[in-house]
Amino acid sequence: MNMAVNILAIETSCDESSVAVIQDGRVIRSNIISSQIEIHKKYGGVVPEIASRKHLEALPFVVQEALSEAEADFKDIDGIGVAYGPGLVGALLVGLSYAKAAAYAIEKPLIGVHHLEGHIHAGFLEYPDLAFPLVALVVSGGHTSLVYLPKRGAYELLGQTRDDAAGEAFDKVARHLGLGYPGGPQVQQAALQGNREKLLFPRAWLEKDSLDFSFSGLKSSVLNYLNQCKMKDEAYDIPDIAAGLQEAIGDVLATKAVVAAKKKKVPTILLAGGVAANLRLREMLQEKAGQENINVLWPSPVLCTDNAAMIGCAAYYKYLRGEFSDLTLNAVPNLSLFTS
Ligand code: KG4
Ligand code: ZN
């Protein structure tokens, strides 16, 4: 009989201290997420120094909670998975230092995981039998990338943002609209009352055939519109602005994801990252992909935003491949997932 493999996974790359116990890469025995959002909210974004300090305070308790919810002990753990980049270096170092100490103490492998590889694996947690090849659209506060996965563990970059990430565009505009942090969920909520056809904000399609993105022009255009209204003392409608912004972001993301899937002749597009929680993006993608007989899948909301379960799933497959990390592993704030 095969013994189960239990990975204890740690994620501290931004403002969530999260620890999970994942069995065989598919069973979430626990996934504890301690969010710092309430603390960073008043600054309008994540303050790196505060994030590191809060991770340090929270992590030992989050580990205990994750083990206790999983009804497990360190002796049941076969490997320690940890996100070591990209992200805020101080924040990453807290999780990584804990992971190294734990791996050393229990004499089990340390498995460093790329944060985006984690986001993609949220899809494999939700759909363990998901087949390759596929294209993943990874959209978060720090990343907007189209990734081709010919097989497990192989990642080819097809396109990425040249400036702001999609989540960043949501967050920055939301801040100017006074909607608070993080902006994506607030924009989505406000957009429900708005008319998405009223304000047609620009879409940056870039060069023909390019699968890259650019959202800084869109962000400036929305902010210009807002400033002009204010200067002319004209009324503006926040729900309409939110709906117009969400539409412009969703349109470009969904269109390019379908072009990428067609180019690579894959039957499936996997959505990943915090922005994958956006309902209008899902709807647009499903509509555009459906016309080409391409399937679209996304993880449940709790697995879209930062969490340790996704890191544990990615770590499990690395464990099976024997891809272990050395205890000298360092945090890499701009870590790349791609070899070429
Ligand atoms: O993946 P994530 O938790 O952290 C990063 O790795 O960046 O993503 C956070 C981002 C934020 O920019 C947030 O505004 C955005 O995801 N987000 C959303 C939604 N929920 C979270 N954006 C649009 N619609 C949502 N429902
Ligand atoms: Zn993330």
Side-chain angles (χ1 to χ4, degrees), residues 149-162:
L149 285 82
K151 59 177 185 178
R152 190 173 300 285
Y155 307 94
E156 182 191 316
L157 181 65
L158 300 174
Q160 62 185 339
T161 185
R162 295 183 184 170

Side-chain angles (χ1 to χ4, degrees), residues 115 119 140-142 167-168 170-171 182-185 188 273-275 277-278 304-306:
H115 183 74
H119 272 303
S140 71
E168 206 176 344
F170 275 116
D171 293 342
Q188 172 173 298
V275 182
N278 188 272
C304 286
T305 45
D306 287 351

Side-chain angles (χ1 to χ4, degrees), residues 212-325:
D212 279 351
F213 301 94
S214 166
F215 293 108
S216 71
L218 167 64
K219 177 192 67 192
S220 304
S221 167
V222 180
L223 297 185
N224 280 343
Y225 170 78
L226 192 64
N227 288 335
Q228 275 173 13
C229 290
K230 284 180 181 166
M231 269 161 48
K232 292 188 211 154
D233 235 359
E234 278 174 13
Y236 56 87
D237 188 70
I238 290 181
D240 284 346
I241 299 176
L245 171 74
Q246 182 173 255
E247 206 65 11
I249 294 176
D251 190 8
V252 179
L253 289 175
T255 304
K256 293 208 176 208
V258 173
V259 172
K262 281 174 69 183
K263 184 176 168 189
K264 288 296 181 183
K265 299 188 172 62
V266 300
T268 312
I269 296 171
L270 175 65
L271 256 177
V275 182
N278 188 272
L279 298 176
R280 181 64 188 142
L281 169 63
R282 293 175 178 184
E283 195 176 67
M284 290 173 101
L285 190 54
Q286 206 160 35
E287 193 184 309
K288 290 179 197 296
Q291 289 162 2
E292 307 289 341
N293 284 324
I294 295 166
N295 256 326
V296 183
L297 298 171
W298 51 73
S300 50
V302 69
L303 296 177
C304 286
T305 45
D306 287 351
N307 67 87
M310 66 187 196
I311 302 297
C313 179
Y316 168 74
Y317 290 105
K318 291 190 128 189
Y319 178 95
L320 293 186
R321 295 195 295 269
E323 289 175 23
F324 303 149
S325 308

Side-chain angles (χ1 to χ4, degrees), residues 156-207:
E156 182 191 316
L157 181 65
L158 300 174
Q160 62 185 339
T161 185
R162 295 183 184 170
D163 39 59
D164 290 349
E168 206 176 344
F170 275 116
D171 293 342
K172 285 181 176 168
V173 173
R175 192 159 68 205
H176 287 268
L177 292 174
L179 290 175
Y181 172 84
Q186 313 281 352
V187 169
Q188 172 173 298
Q189 189 60 29
L192 289 175
Q193 317 301 328
N195 176 352
R196 58 184 183 231
E197 278 151 25
K198 194 149 157 223
L199 297 170
L200 196 72
F201 292 121
R203 278 89 162 133
W205 298 110
L206 306 174
E207 307 82 36

